[in-house]
Amino acid sequence: MIHVILHRFRIPGVIKCGFLILLIACFSVFFSFVFLSQGEIPELDYEDDLNYSAKPTSSFTQDALDGNFEKCIFSTITSNLLLKGTNSSLEDLFPDVSTETIKESITVKESSLFPILKKFTDMMSSFFRIETVLIEPSVLFCMLGPRFKKLLIRRNFHLKTFAKSTNILTLGIRGSDVAAFKKFDKEEKLRVYGFRMQIVNESLLPWMKAGNDSIFNDHFISHIFFKNKDWVIHVVPFYERGDFLWHASLNVNKNDLFQELYFAESDSAYENFTYQSLGFKSRHLTNINIPSNPHFFLFETPSSKFLECNSTVVSNFFKFNQTGIPKKHSSLSVENFNKRIEVGLQELKAIFNPLLMNFWIWSGTMLGWYRQCDVIPYTSDADFAAWASQVDDLDDILQRINKSDNLELRQRMGIVEQSLEFNLNCHKLRADVFFLYPESNGTWYAGHRPSKGYYFKYHHPNFTLCSAELLGHKVLVPCEAEKVIVTEYGSNWMTPVTSWNYESSIKNRGPNIYWDKNMLAKVYLDN
C-alpha cells in the first residue's frame, strides 16, 4: 500500500528511503510507548555468557594466632593477657567498665579452660560423633596475634565485662549435627562424663525445610546447655540458610544466666566458615577447633543481629502498587541483572572482608530489600556503602579491585578524607560504593558532578549495622533501615519511582561544594 502511494505520486527514490526510515522510527516509538505504558520494558534477546564461581573462603594461617596462644587455654585469662602486645587500655576493650571501678586487670576466665574443654570436646567427638568449634569471644580474642587484636580494637570491637561468666564457655556446632541428640539414650552416658544436658526447642520457622535432618516435625533445636558442678557449656547450632549460617536467639528462661551469655540476644547471621583443629600445636588439643578465620568471626559479631524481611511492608507495597511497576531492567533480564548483583556482592566481600571492613547495601539496593525483599526490578545499578574511617590503605583496596576478574574501577571520586566514592563495572552492571563520614548529628556521604567540579553531601541520622538476606546471601543493612530510607526518599518511599535523578530527586541533599581547581585532577580519576 505504501509502495503504491509512493509510486503514484512519483516520489524520487532518495525521498522514498527517507520516508520509510521515518515511518519505521515512528512505529518503534509507538511500540515502545505501548510497552512502557504497560509497565514492561522489552528484554534484550541474547544469551548471557557470565559464568561465576565464588572465591573459596581463605584458609587458616597460623600467623593469625599469637605464638603462645595455648596460654589462653592452659592459663587463667585476664585482661592483661587479652591486651598483650596491643598497647591498648582496659577501657578500649571493655568500654562498659565503670571508670570508678577500673582496675589494673580483670579476670575473664577464673581457671584454666583445658580440663573442661578437653573433657567436653572428647565426649562430643567420641560419643556424639560431632565436631564442636570454640567460639567464646574472649578466648578467641586472647589467642589472636597482636596485629589482629589491634585491628579489631580499631574497628571498635568490644568484650562484655560479665560478672558471672567466668565459668561459661560457648561452642558452636553445625545445625545438621543436632540430630545426634535425638538418636541416643544419652543421660547415663552424660552422667559418666559428669554433665547434665538441657535442650531448648523453638517453633519451626518458615524458611526451614522439613526434610532437613536438623528439623524435627514442628520444632528445631536452638540452644543446648551442658552443666557440671563447675561449668556451663553453651552450645549454639548454626543452621545453613542460603550460603551463610544462622543461629536463633534464646527466647526462654531470661534469668541471670541469660544476661551472661553471648549468642543469645538475637537471631544472628555469619558468613559460612570452616574450622581448624589446634592439634598442630599439641596433640592434647586435637579435638579443640576454632573458626579458620577467628579474627573475621569476631569482627562479624557486633553486626550479626539478623533482620528478617518485613512481610508486612512487602505485602502493603504490592497491595497498593498492583499496577505500574515495570518488571524488567532496561538492558538485562531480571535473572541476569540479579546474577550481576550477586557477583558484585561476592567480589566486594573478597576485597573488604580480609581487611575487616564493613560494607552494606545502600540507597536503592537497600530500598529494594526493605520494601520488596528483593532487588528493585527496574533499577539500573547497585549501591553499597562503607565507613571511610576503615580505609587504612586506599592503594591496597585499589590493587585488590584491579586483581578482580569481575570488577573494573571505572572512576574514583573524592579522597579518603573527604567524599570518597567508587564507580565500578561488574559485567555491564554499574555498582557504586559510597564512603560515609561522621558529622555532629549523624553521617554523610557524597554525590559528585565531576564535569562541574563539585560534590554535595547526603545527610543521614546515625545508625548501626545488622545482618539480612538478599538473593540468598548474607548482607549488612542499617538496623534502623526505615529511618534511613525516609531520610533519603521521603515519606512516599513506598511509591515506585522509575525516573530518578541523584541530584534533584533525593530528599537529604546539601548545597554544592566546589573543589579548588588544583584538586580536580586528584579527586576525579577515570580508568
Side-chain angles (χ1 to χ4, degrees):
M1 179 68 178
I2 294 172
H3 175 74
V4 172
I5 293 172
L6 294 175
H7 178 74
R8 177 173 295 179
F9 286 96
R10 301 184 182 279
I11 297 175
V14 173
I15 298 178
K16 288 181 183 179
C17 292
F19 179 77
L20 288 172
I21 292 171
L22 179 62
L23 192 62
I24 292 170
C26 289
F27 274 114
S28 298
V29 171
F30 172 75
F31 283 115
S32 296
F33 175 79
V34 170
F35 277 118
L36 290 171
S37 66
Q38 295 175 347
E40 299 275 351
I41 299 175
E43 181 181 338
L44 293 185
D45 185 19
Y46 72 93
E47 186 171 344
D48 190 28
D49 59 355
L50 174 57
N51 293 311
Y52 178 75
S53 297
K55 292 179 174 60
T57 305
S58 55
S59 57
F60 171 77
T61 61
Q62 294 185 33
D63 293 343
L65 302 182
D66 185 80
N68 297 311
F69 72 83
E70 70 276 11
K71 287 185 177 180
C72 302
I73 294 176
F74 289 109
S75 305
T76 299
I77 297 180
T78 65
S79 54
N80 287 340
L81 184 58
L82 288 171
L83 293 169
K84 175 188 172 186
T86 66
N87 296 320
S88 298
S89 63
L90 192 62
E91 53 266 36
D92 290 333
L93 190 57
F94 299 96
D96 59 341
V97 175
S98 170
T99 54
E100 293 80 13
T101 60
I102 285 181
K103 304 175 183 178
E104 291 186 1
S105 180
I106 293 176
T107 298
V108 179
K109 295 299 176 188
E110 195 69 53
S111 58
S112 168
L113 307 179
F114 178 71
I116 185 65
L117 261 180
K118 179 166 176 54
K119 176 187 285 190
F120 183 77
T121 56
D122 285 353
M123 177 189 74
M124 295 295 282
S125 179
S126 61
F127 178 48
F128 287 106
R129 299 288 190 268
I130 291 176
E131 294 292 336
T132 56
V133 183
L134 178 62
I135 57 173
E136 182 70 29
S138 60
V139 182
L140 291 182
F141 185 87
C142 180
M143 296 170 69
L144 293 177
R147 179 167 71 95
F148 285 112
K149 285 183 179 179
K150 291 177 183 178
L151 182 54
L152 280 168
I153 290 174
R154 285 209 313 275
R155 299 291 190 255
N156 295 317
F157 173 79
H158 302 139
L159 289 172
K160 299 177 182 179
T161 49
F162 292 147
K164 302 175 183 177
S165 64
T166 55
N167 65 336
I168 296 175
L169 271 179
T170 314
L171 292 95
I173 61 172
R174 290 280 176 174
S176 56
D177 286 337
V178 300
F181 297 110
K182 294 287 185 179
K183 294 179 179 178
F184 300 101
D185 181 13
K186 52 200 169 298
E187 295 300 330
E188 183 177 348
K189 189 71 172 180
L190 286 172
R191 281 196 294 270
V192 172
Y193 283 94
F195 289 104
R196 292 176 291 110
M197 182 174 71
Q198 178 184 357
I199 294 176
V200 180
N201 291 308
E202 299 284 354
S203 298
L204 197 66
L205 298 173
W207 62 269
M208 293 178 162
K209 295 182 179 179
N212 193 312
D213 285 343
S214 60
I215 309 300
F216 306 100
N217 299 322
D218 59 350
H219 70 273
F220 71 99
I221 295 177
S222 62
H223 295 263
I224 310 166
F225 293 92
F226 294 84
K227 301 177 183 179
N228 70 5
K229 62 185 180 68
D230 297 316
W231 287 89
V232 174
I233 305 294
H234 177 204
V235 175
V236 182
F238 286 79
Y239 292 90
E240 290 189 4
R241 176 169 178 167
D243 71 348
F244 59 94
L245 298 177
W246 174 96
H247 77 74
S249 61
L250 182 62
N251 294 320
V252 296
N253 298 329
K254 294 189 176 181
N255 50 24
D256 290 343
L257 175 62
F258 174 85
Q259 304 301 325
E260 305 292 329
L261 296 174
Y262 283 100
F263 308 99
E265 293 181 358
S266 65
D267 296 351
S268 296
Y270 289 80
E271 296 292 352
N272 211 328
F273 60 86
T274 57
Y275 57 84
Q276 171 67 39
S277 165
L278 298 181
F280 67 87
K281 189 72 172 182
S282 167
R283 62 182 179 83
H284 300 296
L285 303 176
T286 298
N287 286 330
I288 300 176
N289 305 304
I290 61 171
S292 295
N293 293 290
H295 47 289
F296 182 69
F297 180 85
L298 291 176
F299 176 66
E300 286 189 278
T301 302
S303 60
S304 64
K305 180 180 178 180
F306 188 78
L307 301 182
E308 288 287 357
C309 192
N310 191 322
S311 58
T312 302
V313 170
V314 176
S315 176
N316 287 337
F317 174 75
F318 286 107
K319 177 181 178 181
F320 295 117
N321 298 285
Q322 295 182 13
T323 61
I325 305 176
K327 297 182 175 64
K328 297 287 189 297
H329 302 283
S330 58
S331 60
L332 291 168
S333 68
V334 170
E335 178 184 0
N336 290 336
F337 189 91
N338 288 355
K339 186 190 299 184
R340 283 154 176 77
I341 294 274
E342 293 184 69
V343 171
L345 178 64
Q346 297 291 74
E347 289 293 300
L348 288 175
K349 286 182 180 182
I351 291 167
F352 288 132
N353 287 358
L355 301 174
L356 302 193
M357 289 183 63
N358 282 317
F359 80 99
W360 57 95
I361 57 173
W362 191 240
S363 295
T365 307
M366 173 183 60
L367 176 63
W369 162 77
Y370 188 74
R371 191 175 67 182
Q372 294 152 252
C373 290
D374 205 345
V375 175
I376 294 175
Y378 51 84
T379 190
S380 59
D381 61 5
D383 300 305
F384 303 95
W387 300 119
S389 61
Q390 293 183 353
V391 179
D392 296 325
D393 186 341
L394 179 60
D395 289 337
D396 183 22
I397 296 173
L398 297 177
Q399 288 173 14
R400 291 169 185 261
I401 293 174
N402 288 334
K403 290 178 181 177
S404 170
D405 295 328
N406 298 280
L407 292 179
E408 174 193 3
L409 180 64
R410 301 293 294 273
Q411 190 173 36
R412 191 197 86 200
M413 294 172 278
I415 54 179
V416 174
E417 297 78 13
Q418 191 174 352
S419 72
L420 184 63
E421 178 187 345
F422 295 159
N423 170 219
L424 305 171
N425 173 47
C426 178
H427 301 281
K428 299 182 181 179
L429 167 72
R430 174 179 173 134
D432 291 312
V433 181
F434 302 98
F435 289 83
L436 272 67
Y437 299 80
E439 56 185 0
S440 58
N441 58 347
T443 62
W444 68 272
Y445 71 100
H448 289 269
R449 179 56 73 92
S451 61
K452 302 292 185 180
Y454 67 77
Y455 71 95
F456 45 89
K457 295 181 179 181
Y458 301 121
H459 299 278
H460 274 283
N462 286 315
F463 58 87
T464 52
L465 291 175
C466 287
S467 295
E469 179 179 6
L470 182 66
L471 301 177
H473 303 281
K474 178 197 168 187
V475 294
L476 296 185
V477 298
C479 302
E480 305 81 6
E482 187 166 328
K483 181 173 70 172
V484 172
I485 288 170
V486 170
T487 301
E488 186 144 320
Y489 295 98
S491 58
N492 293 326
W493 58 272
M494 285 284 275
T495 302
V497 177
T498 57
S499 179
W500 180 263
N501 183 285
Y502 75 100
E503 286 203 68
S504 59
S505 299
I506 207 155
K507 304 299 181 184
N508 55 335
R509 182 195 193 283
N512 297 340
I513 302 172
Y514 287 86
W515 295 100
D516 290 336
K517 290 185 178 180
N518 59 1
M519 286 287 291
L520 290 176
K522 181 178 181 181
V523 298
Y524 294 127
L525 298 177
D526 296 327
N527 270 10

